[in-house]
Amino acid sequence: MSFSPNTAKWGGQAYTPLPDPPGPPQMYAPQYAPQNDYPAPSGYPPNYPSDEKSPFEGGRFAPKKKINDIFPLMLYILTVLGFALVSVIVLVAWVKHGGLGGSVGGDANHTGTKISLNRRANHTAILLLFVAGAGLILASLYLILTRAFTKAILHITLVLTILLNIGVAVLYWIEKVYVAAIIFTIIAIISVFAYFGYRARIPLATILLQTVMDISKHHPSVYVVAFVALIVQAVVSVWFSFTAIATYERWTPGNPACTEAKDCSSAKVTGLVIFEVFAYIWMSQVIGNVALATMAGGPFGSWYYFGPREQGQMPSHPTLSAFVRASTLSLGSIAFGSLIVTILELIRIVLEIAKDNAASDGHPVEACLALCAECFIGCIEGMVEYFNRYAYIEIALYGKPYLAAAKDTWGLFKDRGIDVVVNDSLVNMALTWGGYVVGLLCALFAFLYLHFTHPSYNSDGQYTVPVLVFAFLIGLQCSLTLSSAIEAGVSTIFVGLGEDPQVLAIRAPELFGLIASTYPQVVHGVARV
């Protein structure tokens, strides 16, 4: 059976998209008349549009008032409380014995170094604030350019990715790091052959990316959620850094904070630091995944099932409602999935430390084996993270437990997983390269700032490299934070398309027509058991 961009079939019935209204082309389809009446949960508009399925079918947007995965939730809460308790103990001891400059007034006998906002710190702080502002402006401009020249940017980033893979492989061969050189050579060869397959999918990725950007333009809350998550992540990172340093100072034998030698040992420090790293990774994972679930279950999911806001059918405050669900009833499910990635990340860190120790001790074989194991665990971790992203969207839309969401996600991947991966990869390439470009421009801005202001503390250029590195990271993070909202929208549309393709046919007929012509099987929803 053949399909065209303008006609598709499902359930044995032909579907013809509604004609575009007069005037400029519209990204979203006009309002349509509901075919069936479904009762809406309290608090939602009673006259929402419907097609073959209710937007609330299966508990979508109105899950049961039940806390899912309560045991992972309890373990997560205990982990956070344990981290907080250890943090308070070590930070109090550290400050008491000179950490952070000691107490007010400072004792001359204390070994800590006082923190003061001198001219050097003020000058650098002003510079980094300018860099952050420039990063936000440049990242926004890149998204605007991506929306205007989507197809060209996708082509350029695809070619740049291939060139990067080849360049990294050549570099490793020159440096005689043969294991990494072989791996990246294989990746480079695969990327060259994959170029032609990727290139054929660019038209679909183009309109998909444009659709998500248009949704985000009408829902600024997606960017608010992304930046709030970034700020919370930064606070947790600073908290962890000071806690880890204070732990070392508090229980390492010979340090001033170690008041009783019998309570101090390197083994205790190692165990506590491992626990703190575990807690930090888990908390960071949960923060990012709550933000993803908020965007997926809020503006993006609501647009897919209720239509654009201007049609008046979307529930009020969808972002806030999604955040409440993600941070309460579904927090255990999100913590469950995040725990799997946390364990894999901790194993990868241990293998990396083992590799470095083996290399420093002159054991190349052991170092090579540890490197291979680290790469293997890293690949598994990446696949689990990618899989979990779609599971969290299922959790955000339906309020499912993690295992049920993972089962349905696996069904989606088995049915059309390669299509999801290809189009996600194209979008991610464009957004990631944009992050690198913004980071480089921010580093250039910082260099020019240092060059023309001539700060006294950098008279010999000794601080140029650290400042440029910080500027690059700030610009990169600003861009990737904005991009994370777009990636959440792309993934949410694919999940909705997998379950209810006919809804997208009404929301965005041009996008659905192109999808139907490229992937004919997509017009049939994935069966749920």
Coordinates of all heavy atoms in Angstrom, one line a residue, residues 247-290:
T247 N 34.7 16.6 54.0 CA 34.8 15.2 54.4 C 36.3 14.8 54.5 O 36.7 14.2 55.4 CB 34.0 14.3 53.4 OG1 32.6 14.6 53.5 CG2 34.2 12.8 53.9
Y248 N 37.0 15.2 53.4 CA 38.4 14.9 53.4 C 39.1 15.5 54.6 O 40.0 14.9 55.3 CB 39.0 15.3 52.1 CG 40.5 15.2 52.0 CD1 41.1 13.9 51.7 CD2 41.4 16.2 52.3 CE1 42.4 13.8 51.6 CE2 42.7 16.1 52.2 CZ 43.3 14.8 51.8 OH 44.6 14.7 51.8
E249 N 38.8 16.8 54.8 CA 39.4 17.5 55.9 C 39.0 17.0 57.3 O 39.8 17.0 58.2 CB 39.0 19.0 55.8 CG 39.6 19.7 54.6 CD 41.1 19.9 54.7 OE1 41.6 20.0 55.9 OE2 41.8 20.0 53.7
R250 N 37.8 16.5 57.4 CA 37.3 16.1 58.7 C 37.8 14.8 59.2 O 38.1 14.6 60.4 CB 35.7 16.1 58.7 CG 35.1 15.4 59.9 CD 35.3 16.3 61.2 NE 34.7 15.7 62.3 CZ 35.2 14.7 63.1 NH1 36.4 14.3 62.8 NH2 34.6 14.2 64.1
W251 N 38.0 13.8 58.3 CA 38.4 12.5 58.7 C 39.7 12.0 58.2 O 40.0 10.8 58.4 CB 37.2 11.5 58.4 CG 36.1 11.5 59.4 CD1 36.2 11.1 60.7 CD2 34.8 11.9 59.2 NE1 35.0 11.2 61.3 CE2 34.1 11.7 60.4 CE3 34.1 12.4 58.1 CZ2 32.7 12.0 60.5 CZ3 32.7 12.7 58.2 CH2 32.1 12.5 59.4
T252 N 40.4 12.8 57.5 CA 41.8 12.4 57.1 C 42.8 12.6 58.3 O 42.9 13.6 58.8 CB 42.3 13.2 55.9 OG1 41.4 13.0 54.8 CG2 43.7 12.8 55.5
P253 N 43.5 11.5 58.7 CA 44.4 11.6 59.8 C 45.4 12.7 59.6 O 46.0 12.9 58.5 CB 45.1 10.2 59.8 CG 44.1 9.3 59.2 CD 43.4 10.1 58.1
G254 N 45.7 13.5 60.6 CA 46.6 14.6 60.6 C 46.1 15.9 60.3 O 46.8 16.9 60.5
N255 N 44.8 16.0 59.8 CA 44.2 17.3 59.5 C 43.7 18.0 60.8 O 43.4 17.3 61.8 CB 43.1 17.2 58.5 CG 43.6 17.0 57.1 OD1 44.7 17.5 56.8 ND2 42.8 16.3 56.3
P256 N 43.7 19.3 60.9 CA 43.2 20.0 62.1 C 41.8 19.6 62.5 O 41.5 19.6 63.7 CB 43.3 21.5 61.7 CG 44.3 21.5 60.6 CD 44.1 20.3 59.8
A257 N 40.9 19.3 61.6 CA 39.5 19.0 61.9 C 39.4 17.6 62.5 O 38.4 17.3 63.1 CB 38.6 19.1 60.7
C258 N 40.5 16.8 62.4 CA 40.4 15.4 62.9 C 40.9 15.5 64.4 O 42.0 15.4 64.7 CB 41.4 14.5 62.1 SG 41.4 12.8 62.7
T259 N 39.9 15.7 65.3 CA 40.2 15.9 66.7 C 40.6 14.7 67.4 O 41.3 14.7 68.4 CB 39.0 16.6 67.4 OG1 37.8 15.8 67.2 CG2 38.8 18.0 66.8
E260 N 40.0 13.5 67.0 CA 40.3 12.2 67.6 C 40.8 11.3 66.6 O 40.1 10.9 65.7 CB 39.0 11.7 68.3 CG 38.4 12.5 69.4 CD 37.3 11.9 70.1 OE1 37.1 10.6 69.9 OE2 36.5 12.6 70.7
A261 N 42.1 10.9 66.7 CA 42.7 10.1 65.7 C 42.1 8.8 65.5 O 42.0 8.2 64.4 CB 44.2 9.9 66.1
K262 N 41.5 8.2 66.6 CA 40.8 6.9 66.4 C 39.6 6.9 65.5 O 39.2 5.9 65.0 CB 40.5 6.3 67.8 CG 39.4 7.2 68.6 CD 39.1 6.5 69.9 CE 38.0 7.4 70.6 NZ 37.7 6.7 71.9
D263 N 39.0 8.1 65.4 CA 37.8 8.3 64.5 C 38.2 8.6 63.1 O 37.3 8.6 62.2 CB 36.9 9.4 65.0 CG 36.3 9.0 66.4 OD1 36.1 7.8 66.6 OD2 35.9 9.9 67.1
C264 N 39.4 8.8 62.8 CA 39.9 9.2 61.5 C 40.6 8.1 60.8 O 41.5 7.4 61.4 CB 40.7 10.5 61.5 SG 40.0 11.8 62.4
S265 N 40.3 7.9 59.5 CA 41.0 6.9 58.7 C 40.8 7.2 57.2 O 39.7 7.8 56.8 CB 40.6 5.5 59.1 OG 39.3 5.3 58.7
S266 N 41.7 6.8 56.4 CA 41.5 6.9 55.0 C 40.4 6.1 54.5 O 39.7 6.4 53.5 CB 42.8 6.5 54.2 OG 43.9 7.4 54.6
A267 N 40.1 4.9 55.1 CA 39.0 4.0 54.7 C 37.7 4.7 54.9 O 36.8 4.6 54.0 CB 39.1 2.7 55.4
K268 N 37.5 5.4 56.0 CA 36.3 6.1 56.3 C 36.1 7.2 55.3 O 35.0 7.4 54.8 CB 36.3 6.7 57.7 CG 35.1 7.5 58.1 CD 35.1 8.0 59.5 CE 35.0 6.9 60.5 NZ 34.9 7.4 61.9
V269 N 37.1 8.0 55.0 CA 37.1 9.0 54.0 C 36.6 8.5 52.6 O 35.7 9.0 52.0 CB 38.4 9.8 53.8 CG1 38.4 10.8 52.7 CG2 38.7 10.5 55.1
T270 N 37.3 7.4 52.2 CA 36.9 6.7 50.9 C 35.5 6.3 50.9 O 34.7 6.6 49.9 CB 37.8 5.5 50.7 OG1 39.2 6.0 50.7 CG2 37.5 4.9 49.3
G271 N 35.0 5.7 52.0 CA 33.6 5.2 52.0 C 32.6 6.3 51.9 O 31.6 6.3 51.2
L272 N 32.9 7.4 52.7 CA 32.0 8.5 52.7 C 32.0 9.3 51.4 O 30.9 9.7 50.9 CB 32.4 9.5 53.8 CG 32.0 9.0 55.3 CD1 32.6 9.9 56.3 CD2 30.5 8.9 55.4
V273 N 33.1 9.4 50.8 CA 33.2 10.1 49.5 C 32.4 9.3 48.4 O 31.7 9.9 47.6 CB 34.7 10.3 49.1 CG1 34.7 10.8 47.6 CG2 35.3 11.4 50.0
I274 N 32.6 8.0 48.4 CA 31.8 7.1 47.5 C 30.3 7.3 47.7 O 29.6 7.5 46.7 CB 32.2 5.7 47.7 CG1 33.7 5.4 47.2 CG2 31.3 4.8 46.9 CD1 34.2 4.0 47.4
F275 N 29.9 7.3 48.9 CA 28.5 7.6 49.2 C 28.0 9.0 48.7 O 26.9 9.1 48.1 CB 28.2 7.5 50.7 CG 26.8 8.0 51.1 CD1 25.7 7.3 50.8 CD2 26.7 9.2 51.8 CE1 24.4 7.8 51.2 CE2 25.5 9.7 52.1 CZ 24.3 9.0 51.8
E276 N 28.9 10.0 48.9 CA 28.5 11.3 48.5 C 28.5 11.4 47.0 O 27.6 12.1 46.5 CB 29.5 12.3 49.1 CG 29.4 12.5 50.6 CD 30.6 13.1 51.2 OE1 31.6 13.5 50.5 OE2 30.7 13.2 52.5
V277 N 29.4 10.8 46.3 CA 29.3 10.8 44.9 C 28.1 10.1 44.4 O 27.4 10.6 43.4 CB 30.6 10.1 44.3 CG1 30.5 9.9 42.8 CG2 31.8 10.9 44.6
F278 N 27.7 8.9 45.0 CA 26.5 8.2 44.6 C 25.3 9.1 44.8 O 24.4 9.2 43.9 CB 26.4 7.0 45.5 CG 25.1 6.3 45.4 CD1 24.8 5.5 44.3 CD2 24.1 6.4 46.4 CE1 23.6 4.8 44.2 CE2 22.9 5.8 46.3 CZ 22.6 5.0 45.2
A279 N 25.2 9.8 46.0 CA 24.0 10.6 46.3 C 24.0 11.8 45.3 O 22.9 12.2 44.8 CB 24.1 11.1 47.7
Y280 N 25.1 12.4 45.0 CA 25.2 13.5 44.1 C 24.7 13.2 42.7 O 23.9 13.9 42.1 CB 26.6 14.1 44.0 CG 26.8 15.1 42.9 CD1 26.2 16.3 42.9 CD2 27.7 14.8 41.9 CE1 26.3 17.2 41.9 CE2 27.9 15.6 40.8 CZ 27.2 16.9 40.8 OH 27.4 17.7 39.8
I281 N 25.2 12.0 42.2 CA 24.8 11.6 40.8 C 23.3 11.3 40.8 O 22.6 11.7 39.8 CB 25.6 10.4 40.4 CG1 27.1 10.7 40.3 CG2 25.1 9.9 39.0 CD1 28.0 9.5 40.0
W282 N 22.8 10.6 41.8 CA 21.4 10.3 41.8 C 20.5 11.6 41.9 O 19.5 11.7 41.2 CB 21.1 9.4 43.0 CG 19.8 8.6 42.9 CD1 19.0 8.6 41.8 CD2 19.3 7.7 43.9 NE1 17.9 7.8 42.1 CE2 18.0 7.2 43.3 CE3 19.6 7.3 45.1 CZ2 17.2 6.3 44.0 CZ3 18.8 6.4 45.8 CH2 17.6 5.9 45.2
M283 N 20.9 12.5 42.8 CA 20.1 13.7 42.9 C 20.2 14.5 41.6 O 19.1 15.0 41.1 CB 20.7 14.6 44.0 CG 20.4 14.1 45.4 SD 20.8 15.3 46.7 CE 22.6 15.2 46.7
S284 N 21.3 14.6 40.9 CA 21.4 15.3 39.6 C 20.6 14.6 38.6 O 19.9 15.3 37.8 CB 22.9 15.3 39.2 OG 23.7 16.0 40.1
Q285 N 20.6 13.3 38.5 CA 19.7 12.6 37.6 C 18.2 12.9 37.8 O 17.5 13.1 36.9 CB 20.0 11.1 37.7 CG 21.3 10.6 37.1 CD 21.3 10.6 35.6 OE1 20.3 10.3 35.0 NE2 22.4 10.8 35.0
V286 N 17.8 12.8 39.1 CA 16.4 13.1 39.4 C 16.0 14.5 39.0 O 14.9 14.7 38.5 CB 16.2 12.8 40.9 CG1 14.8 13.3 41.3 CG2 16.3 11.3 41.2
I287 N 16.8 15.5 39.3 CA 16.5 16.9 39.0 C 16.3 17.0 37.5 O 15.3 17.6 37.0 CB 17.6 17.8 39.5 CG1 17.7 17.8 41.0 CG2 17.4 19.2 38.9 CD1 18.9 18.5 41.6
G288 N 17.2 16.5 36.7 CA 17.1 16.6 35.2 C 15.9 15.9 34.7 O 15.2 16.4 33.8
N289 N 15.6 14.7 35.3 CA 14.5 13.9 34.8 C 13.1 14.4 35.2 O 12.1 14.3 34.5 CB 14.6 12.5 35.2 CG 15.9 11.8 34.6 OD1 16.2 12.1 33.4 ND2 16.5 10.9 35.3
V290 N 13.1 15.1 36.4 CA 11.8 15.8 36.8 C 11.5 16.9 35.8 O 10.4 17.1 35.4 CB 11.9 16.3 38.2 CG1 10.8 17.3 38.5 CG2 11.9 15.1 39.2

